[in-house]
Amino acid sequence: MGRRGRGRVLTRHADKAQWMRDHRFAWLEIATYPAAYSAATATHGIRGGAPSNKIARYYGPAGAFETRTETTDQGTTVHARYIGGPVT
């Protein structure tokens, strides 16, 4: 296999964001990323702080979601939950 697609995590962010909106304050596992920097990029996008991040569009407005990460044998697992409007 070439470099393209290797280690790529495919996640249906639109479905996960909608589930969290329907289940406010409930934590949901988003994905496990093999590289910590990929998990950091995802958490930044979910919190809405990265307009150039491709997944940020599903998790607006900025501050409406919280994230946490967990280190596992497979990499870094990202969890998120919907908390409502922007955090002030």
Side-chain angles (χ1 to χ4, degrees):
M1 175 191 297
R3 286 193 53 82
R4 189 177 178 134
R6 184 184 304 169
R8 188 171 183 171
V9 177
L10 299 176
T11 301
R12 297 182 57 93
H13 289 284
D15 294 340
K16 290 186 182 248
Q18 185 59 52
W19 185 92
M20 288 184 284
R21 284 186 179 92
D22 293 341
H23 300 88
R24 192 173 184 175
F25 299 115
W27 288 100
L28 178 66
E29 183 177 313
I30 302 301
T32 298
Y33 296 87
Y37 68 84
S38 297
T41 299
T43 60
H44 196 60
I46 292 168
R47 289 191 312 264
S52 62
N53 187 299
K54 293 179 183 179
I55 68 168
R57 64 181 173 229
Y58 302 115
Y59 297 99
F65 290 84
E66 285 184 325
T67 60
R68 67 180 184 205
T69 59
E70 176 184 4
T71 303
T72 67
D73 291 338
Q74 293 79 34
T76 303
T77 301
V78 174
H79 300 267
R81 70 178 177 170
Y82 178 70
I83 57 171
V87 176
T88 57

